[in-house]
Amino acid sequence: MIYLDYQATTPLAPEARDAMLPWLDGPDGTGFGNPHSAHRLGRQAAAAVDLAREQVAALFPPGGTVIFTGSATEAINLAMRGSAPVGDTRPVAVSAIEHAAVLDTARALGGPVDVLPVDGEGILDMTSLAQLRSGTRLVAVMQVNNEIGTIQPVGLAADAAHDAGALFLCDAVQGAGKLDAPAAADMIAVSAHKLHGPKGIGALWVRDGLAIEPIITGGGQEQGLRSGTLSPALCAGFGAAASLSIKERISAGQHVETLWKRLVDLLPGWTVNGSTAHRWFGNCNIRREGLDVARLMSDVRDVCFSAGSACASGSGRPSHVLKAIGLDVASAKSSVRFGFGRYTDIAAIDHAAALIREAAARQD
Ligand code: PLP
């Protein structure tokens, strides 16, 4: 089995697994304590959470607070809903290629939602940012798109948001640990399972001085911003994975660029969706006109890859991202997404490309 779906989720790093195991230990071990308890077992678990918080904080700019959440989706909800009083219906602006976590939350807020277009390369159109509607309270632009891998000008977007008097939220789920942190953002959302950590934990970074309100109330954990008992195991796994991704950032970037070039070379006649320059090379969204993607996926069962976005796959709807870059329905439906990273080797790319090429040729 060849796993080429790194944008959907990444394999757990052995280092992250090792960091987690002691905090799953019970009933005879000592790692099962509640990190919010005052006794010794609780304090040990709290120390693991503190260390993890420091490790995860290294993914972000200096001068902010890390709030652990259950996912990036929850972090995004906390940012978008918690940064204004309940019922505030001032306008928000979001890029057209945001993840559903941002798009659907923006719509659920109940006020006007301005959708900022991207160009044919999948990069934010800056002219629309210069014309933000007056009274816009929040602008959200992602760092790296999950479907086509394009890197967004988040520094410029943050400046434009601030010039308009708005806060800037960056969904850095696909860029954290890979690129520089979006330094000018007010809030940043990340997810552990996209950087070789465990599923079930994410984080929201909030710039110092920005007051937000909780969307989950209860025991008052996470400085009152996210009630609920933290999992020391998930925190520890997230922390170890974050440290590792920072340490291996340069080599990981070079590695995926080599793999990307190889894959594109091995699929002649296919067209890459999105910029071939401003991208995270661990993503290759590529199309072959007339391709029946469902048939390809059923013919090539030994390769795990995705038809468009993992979130939209199965829905039968063409991807909103491919539509936003100007693809018609037929072209969007003939696109597939390959995602790879630290644990993918060149032999896997060669093997997968051969299987895909042969199966696609059988459709001619
Ligand atoms: N934002 C982006 C860009 C994503 O790719 C994803 C997951 O696919 C999310 C948000 C949601 O992350 P989570 O699975 O942690 O809720």
Side-chain angles (χ1 to χ4, degrees):
M1 183 70 80
I2 300 173
Y3 183 75
L4 296 182
D5 205 9
Y6 270 55
Q7 279 72 52
T9 196
T10 54
L12 186 68
E15 292 85 344
R17 182 176 180 276
D18 288 349
M20 292 171 72
L21 290 178
W23 306 106
L24 297 169
D25 229 11
D28 299 313
T30 55
F32 64 92
N34 183 328
H36 313 293
S37 297
H39 50 62
R40 207 165 105 211
L41 284 199
R43 287 202 311 275
Q44 283 172 6
V49 171
D50 290 346
L51 170 63
R53 198 184 302 281
E54 271 171 40
Q55 292 170 318
V56 171
L59 294 172
F60 300 111
T65 302
V66 173
I67 302 153
F68 284 123
T69 60
S71 62
T73 300
E74 187 194 323
I76 288 165
N77 269 267
L78 175 57
M80 297 184 76
R81 296 174 192 272
S83 56
V86 175
D88 187 322
T89 53
R90 283 177 292 160
V92 298
V94 299
S95 93
I97 57 170
E98 292 303 296
H99 188 272
V102 169
L103 289 175
D104 288 3
T105 306
R107 290 184 197 115
L109 291 171
V113 179
D114 292 320
V115 177
L116 309 169
V118 295
D119 63 18
E121 300 266 277
I123 310 287
L124 185 68
D125 170 7
M126 292 304 296
T127 50
S128 61
L129 264 176
Q131 296 153 10
L132 286 174
R133 184 200 297 247
S134 93
T136 300
R137 74 161 183 89
L138 177 76
V139 175
V141 178
M142 67 200 332
Q143 188 176 31
V144 175
N145 182 262
N146 51 304
E147 291 193 39
I148 58 174
T150 50
I151 297 176
Q152 301 305 312
V154 288
L156 295 174
D159 291 347
H162 293 152
D163 287 348
L167 293 172
F168 183 71
L169 164 66
C170 184
D171 168 353
V173 166
Q174 300 284 348
K178 301 182 174 99
L179 307 178
D180 286 342
D186 300 299
M187 297 174 284
I188 306 172
V190 300
S191 184
H193 74 105
K194 310 285 186 175
L195 45 83
H196 304 287
K199 291 166 196 54
I201 182 161
L204 180 68
W205 176 89
V206 181
R207 180 175 295 291
D208 287 343
L210 173 62
I212 62 169
E213 290 298 317
I215 56 170
I216 295 176
T217 46
Q221 291 90 346
E222 296 299 270
Q223 302 184 33
L225 289 172
R226 199 272 187 173
S227 288
T229 303
L230 285 174
S231 160
L234 293 180
C235 293
F238 191 0
S243 291
L244 195 64
S245 57
I246 292 166
K247 195 171 111 211
E248 299 201 344
R249 191 182 127 170
I250 306 282
S251 59
Q254 290 164 345
H255 180 58
V256 292
E257 191 162 349
T258 305
L259 299 181
W260 188 90
K261 287 183 175 148
R262 178 77 152 215
L263 181 59
V264 171
D265 282 351
L266 290 173
L267 295 175
W270 295 58
T271 308
V272 173
N273 292 322
S275 169
T276 53
H278 300 289
R279 66 163 39 260
W280 169 247
F281 286 97
N283 170 300
C284 184
N285 191 317
I286 192 162
R287 69 181 190 272
R288 186 178 190 261
E289 298 307 333
L291 184 73
D292 179 340
V293 170
R295 184 174 154 199
L296 184 75
M297 292 181 88
S298 97
D299 286 352
V300 189
R301 291 197 186 174
D302 286 343
V303 183
C304 299
F305 62 102
S306 161
S309 151
C311 302
S313 65
S315 69
R317 278 179 288 129
S319 134
H320 70 285
V321 175
L322 298 180
K323 192 172 166 207
I325 64 170
L327 262 58
D328 61 21
V329 173
S331 294
K333 284 193 162 174
S334 64
S335 299
V336 292
R337 183 186 69 181
F338 300 109
F340 32 84
R342 189 190 294 159
Y343 303 113
T344 316
D345 59 20
I346 202 117
I349 294 290
D350 288 355
H351 189 189
L355 294 171
I356 299 280
R357 223 177 29 229
E358 283 159 24
R362 286 200 294 275
Q363 294 189 13
D364 288 341

